[in-house]
Amino acid sequence: MIRYFSTNGRAPIVALPEALWRGQAPDRGLYLPERFPVLDRSTRASFASLEYPSIATQVLAPYIAGTFSQDELEKICRESYDFAVPLEPVRHRPGVWVLRLDGGPTASFKDFAARWMARVLGRLVAQKGESLVILTATSGDTGSAVANAFHRVPGIRVVVLFPHREVSDRQRRQMTTLGDNIRTVAVQGKFDDCQALVKRAFADPLLQRFPLSSANSINIGRLLPQCVYYFYAASRVAGPDEPVVVVVPSGNFGNMMGAVLAWRMGLPVRRLVVPVNENDEFPRYLATGRYEKVEPARACLSNAMNVGHPSNLARLVAVYGGWMDETGHVHRAPDLAAMRRDLFSVAASDDQTRAAMQEAWHGHALLLEPHGAVAWHGLRQYQQAENISEAPVILLETAHPAKFPEEIEQLLGFRPSEPPSLRGLEQLPESYDILEPRYESFRDYLIAHLSS
Ligand SMILES: *Cc1c(COP(=O)(O)O)cnc(C)c1O
């Protein structure tokens, strides 16, 4: 059975249900598995002929052993992944594939993790006969994915915080039109303010009587399912011994940590390319070895990546032998040389993001929204810098272009067609509360709402 330790090293090692329940470890560290189960060559080779839910079951089985049976896990994966996961070749760029992770109900990659975790937690709550409050901060897409995934799950209430002026109308409506067990709060601040409020709430003794958990990408239940699509995509485009280049547009670094996990679990990877937007703390850290957050976070076009201090860096640093605490202070340096060998990171300005959208469309008939365009820019920079083109490339497009109709119309001259999941939101009534970014106000609000 795999157990989970805290990156701050000052909390007990726990089994999966407790790690899921807590979200953040009591020492404010993030949970990581004690070891990475390795999938052997024949298992990975067999993935080529398996569908997504079956691959997910095999990849995730070692992590949930002792919590659910393999049959139960298979059911969870089938329910979670009942949509298409397209992998598109790119015109005039042989060997480059775009993995579109936008087929879920809220049309972003976050559906993959949120849907799995909601089903896992829903079953745990039912087993224990208890209730749970999911408290989560979102810079755009997490909130809608989480709210949608947990909507009407018995025994679970959800409180979502989002930065009032930094999410699009549509992103807001995806959260605020659900109702039932979903409550949404617009914070008059930035994503980092929302995240700080949530973090303080978890550490607040006055809130200990509420069964709080987090569905942010800091929850290990959000991380584990994000390693599956790398195995899936590689099985479609490369042999079991053939290393792939993976390109992951990154903000809070949960998605790229999924790739790191997959790599440690035996997926052959040549290089993990981690492009970011103007919040460039990570490429600067890689280059200089000195970590400095971007405060306040910069508001960029790729708004789900506007993160000035990615929580998951603590995990990345831990995997490379270092220790970064939750404030971003590096107590023990990771193996930076190894990180530089494995990872490549660049920042894309908004202008470069727009240019990448245009170049992808006009040069390759490839429709990208701003997050995918940051990835495209990063891939170009990587290929120029390293002059490598032989390995198959898997580039993640993390949202559906129809989530950014104004930008696309302005740049490319047409409006992308909407998937069914995004239609009709304008007709539904919205409900949300507005709060200032002050912890005491937020605590009062939570106590009033949760005591009712
Ligand atoms: C959340 C999000 C990202 C960033 O993912 P992280 O795991 O936070 O790095 C990228 N693109 C989209 C569309 C997102 O919603």
Side-chain angles (χ1 to χ4, degrees), residues 203-441:
D204 188 341
L206 289 174
L207 296 175
Q208 294 298 312
R209 64 195 159 103
F210 301 110
L212 295 182
S213 187
S214 144
N216 270 17
S217 54
I218 62 176
N219 194 304
I220 189 71
R222 286 284 308 285
L223 181 54
L224 298 175
Q226 289 179 173
C227 70
V228 173
Y229 34 78
Y230 300 101
F231 285 102
Y232 166 82
S235 78
R236 270 38 184 188
V237 306
D241 299 317
E242 194 181 357
V244 291
V245 170
V246 176
V247 189
V248 187
S250 291
N252 212 22
F253 280 53
N255 203 4
M256 72 77 74
M257 272 310 295
V260 170
L261 242 65
W263 197 346
R264 301 268 156 163
M265 293 173 72
L267 185 76
V269 175
R270 151 108 3 117
R271 199 77 178 269
L272 173 53
V273 180
V274 200
V276 297
N277 63 22
E278 290 169 29
N279 294 283
D280 61 352
E281 60 280 355
F282 184 67
R284 281 193 290 108
Y285 179 51
L286 259 195
T288 65
R290 278 195 47 205
Y291 183 66
E292 290 167 327
K293 313 180 214 184
V294 173
E295 285 178 307
R298 299 181 184 125
C300 301
L301 216 50
S302 48
N303 64 0
M305 309 201 306
N306 293 340
V307 184
H309 168 48
S311 311
N312 278 291
L313 271 193
R315 285 190 170 116
L316 183 67
V317 166
V319 167
Y320 283 89
W323 172 24
M324 174 188 277
D325 70 18
E326 69 284 357
T327 68
H329 181 73
V330 180
H331 297 262
R332 186 174 64 244
D335 183 345
L336 271 169
M339 275 171 90
R340 289 179 183 131
R341 240 182 352 258
D342 291 353
L343 311 173
F344 179 91
S345 185
V346 285
S349 69
D350 276 357
D351 282 345
Q352 287 168 325
T353 304
R354 290 191 190 93
M357 283 168 74
Q358 285 175 316
E359 195 268 335
W361 178 249
H362 295 300
H364 307 279
L366 172 63
L367 182 58
L368 297 174
E369 51 70 59
H371 305 83
V374 168
W376 187 254
H377 174 82
L379 175 61
R380 305 303 295 240
Q381 297 295 307
Y382 167 68
Q383 288 179 326
Q384 270 169 26
E386 308 278 309
N387 205 11
I388 307 179
S389 53
E390 78 275 26
V393 174
I394 297 164
L395 180 138
L396 271 56
E397 173 52 293
T398 47
H400 195 286
K403 293 184 109 171
F404 297 86
E406 290 86 13
E407 286 83 1
I408 288 178
E409 179 154 41
Q410 215 176 24
L411 287 169
L412 308 179
F414 62 91
R415 279 179 97 80
S417 62
E418 292 187 339
S421 57
L422 297 180
R423 285 180 208 143
L425 283 172
E426 295 74 16
Q427 276 83 56
L428 299 173
E430 284 189 84
S431 150
Y432 61 97
D433 301 308
I434 299 176
L435 282 186
E436 54 181 336
R438 217 171 66 85
Y439 181 68
E440 288 69 23
S441 322

Side-chain angles (χ1 to χ4, degrees), residues 155-174:
I156 298 186
R157 281 195 280 181
V158 177
V159 180
V160 183
L161 277 71
F162 65 90
H164 196 189
R165 303 279 167 222
E166 281 184 19
V167 304
S168 70
D169 271 14
R170 185 200 306 273
Q171 282 173 325
R172 191 189 65 245
R173 283 174 197 278
Q174 283 181 302

Side-chain angles (χ1 to χ4, degrees), residues 36-188:
F36 301 105
V38 172
L39 301 176
D40 60 25
R41 184 183 186 282
S42 69
T43 304
R44 286 184 288 103
S46 74
F47 289 172
S49 57
L50 294 182
E51 292 310 311
Y52 194 94
S54 305
I55 295 175
T57 306
Q58 291 206 33
V59 171
L60 296 172
Y63 292 110
I64 59 95
T67 303
F68 297 113
S69 68
Q70 180 107 354
D71 279 357
E72 194 67 25
L73 176 63
E74 172 118 36
K75 256 190 239 149
I76 291 170
C77 292
R78 294 214 171 279
E79 290 168 24
S80 305
Y81 306 120
D82 59 354
F83 50 85
V85 190
L87 192 57
E88 291 177 7
V90 177
R91 191 184 293 177
H92 307 313
R93 295 300 300 280
V96 178
W97 306 77
V98 172
L99 179 64
R100 293 205 179 262
L101 298 175
D102 60 7
T106 68
S108 93
F109 86 94
K110 294 193 171 74
D111 286 327
F112 283 78
R115 287 169 67 77
W116 189 83
M117 180 163 148
R119 282 160 182 77
V120 166
L121 274 183
R123 278 164 169 86
L124 284 178
V125 165
Q127 269 177 16
K128 289 191 171 190
E130 290 178 5
S131 70
L132 194 61
V133 179
I134 302 281
L135 192 56
T136 193
T138 182
S139 58
D141 290 334
T142 301
S144 51
V146 166
N148 194 289
F150 283 96
H151 189 211
R152 297 186 176 147
V153 173
I156 298 186
R157 281 195 280 181
V158 177
V159 180
V160 183
L161 277 71
F162 65 90
H164 196 189
R165 303 279 167 222
E166 281 184 19
V167 304
S168 70
D169 271 14
R170 185 200 306 273
Q171 282 173 325
R172 191 189 65 245
R173 283 174 197 278
Q174 283 181 302
M175 304 181 264
T176 59
T177 55
L178 290 166
D180 302 313
N181 59 333
I182 310 297
R183 181 167 284 245
T184 40
V185 182
V187 174
Q188 292 165 318

